[in-house]
Amino acid sequence: MWKFDLAALRTGISWGETPIITTTLSAVVALVLYRRWRKSRGQLQPSGKTVLITGCDSGIGYIVARWLDKLGFTVYAGCLFADGDGAQKLKDSCSTRLRIIQLDITDAQQVAKAVATIEESLSPAEGLYGLVNNAGILSMGALEWYPDAHWTQVVDVNIKGTFRVTKSFLPLIRRGRGKYIL
């Protein structure tokens, strides 16, 4: 049984402390991707198609990066900590098609560097097939429990960061006739 913990809410909840939410969100994302893959199974050849996933240090991003690599996509896994344990485990468990890149979506310079890194690796005719905006902060609880700095961080990551990444990578998505921005 999940226990309400006021102290955890005040300090922020990590994915590991909310297994019900994590499991539900993972199942929804996996189901959507699986259905899209199944519909185009006869048409889609993942070989030669490149996707970028943000927030791959753990949780849903980690799982989706492994899965798309296993299907045969070239995966750029954006990690907040490219030298961290999550990134290292991801690198060790996947093929050479998966590439870890340092990506703090709240930092415009890191986003620009990620665009340049991916663009350099693609031929002029290639682009991104998909973008999975997974990086985010989950906050639960009453509004008055959180300081303003926390909400500023939530908005910077969940709204501004997602907008920044999508806008920055749109030229590559268009060039590659990308189909999916999640």
Side-chain angles (χ1 to χ4, degrees), residues 52-65 75-80 86-87 90 98 100 132 134-135:
L52 168 66
I53 307 166
T54 65
C56 292
D57 297 272
S58 63
I60 296 169
Y62 180 89
I63 293 166
V64 172
V75 177
Y76 282 90
C79 294
L80 182 59
L90 189 59
L98 184 128
I100 304 290
V132 180
N134 173 66

Side-chain angles (χ1 to χ4, degrees), residues 1 8 15 33 67 115 124:
M1 180 88 182
W15 283 101
L33 291 173
W67 184 53
V115 170

Side-chain angles (χ1 to χ4, degrees), residues 152-170:
T152 299
Q153 184 184 21
V154 169
V155 169
D156 285 348
V157 173
N158 295 355
I159 298 171
K160 291 180 182 178
T162 300
F163 173 79
R164 179 180 292 113
V165 169
T166 303
K167 184 178 178 185
S168 299
F169 281 96
L170 264 177

Side-chain angles (χ1 to χ4, degrees), residues 41-178:
R41 196 171 23 182
Q43 303 162 0
L44 176 66
Q45 298 299 323
S47 178
K49 292 191 173 35
T50 304
V51 296
L52 168 66
I53 307 166
T54 65
C56 292
D57 297 272
S58 63
I60 296 169
Y62 180 89
I63 293 166
V64 172
R66 286 187 63 190
W67 184 53
L68 292 179
D69 174 68
K70 191 178 214 177
L71 288 176
F73 287 93
T74 298
V75 177
Y76 282 90
C79 294
L80 182 59
F81 304 107
D83 296 329
D85 291 341
Q88 190 59 46
K89 284 181 6 186
L90 189 59
K91 191 175 187 180
D92 293 343
S93 65
C94 292
S95 73
T96 57
R97 288 184 309 273
L98 184 128
R99 297 170 183 122
I100 304 290
I101 57 172
Q102 176 71 38
L103 186 56
D104 177 356
I105 65 171
T106 64
D107 185 343
Q109 290 178 337
Q110 283 193 25
V111 173
K113 185 177 179 184
V115 170
T117 299
I118 294 173
E119 193 167 24
E120 287 173 9
S121 72
L122 299 171
S123 73
E126 289 180 306
L128 279 180
Y129 182 74
L131 168 62
V132 180
N133 281 305
N134 173 66
I137 298 174
L138 174 66
S139 292
M140 296 172 41
L143 184 64
E144 64 266 11
W145 292 348
Y146 295 104
D148 289 346
H150 174 75
W151 286 111
T152 299
Q153 184 184 21
V154 169
V155 169
D156 285 348
V157 173
N158 295 355
I159 298 171
K160 291 180 182 178
T162 300
F163 173 79
R164 179 180 292 113
V165 169
T166 303
K167 184 178 178 185
S168 299
F169 281 96
L170 264 177
L172 284 178
I173 293 167
R174 286 188 180 124
R175 189 169 86 191
R177 295 184 191 91

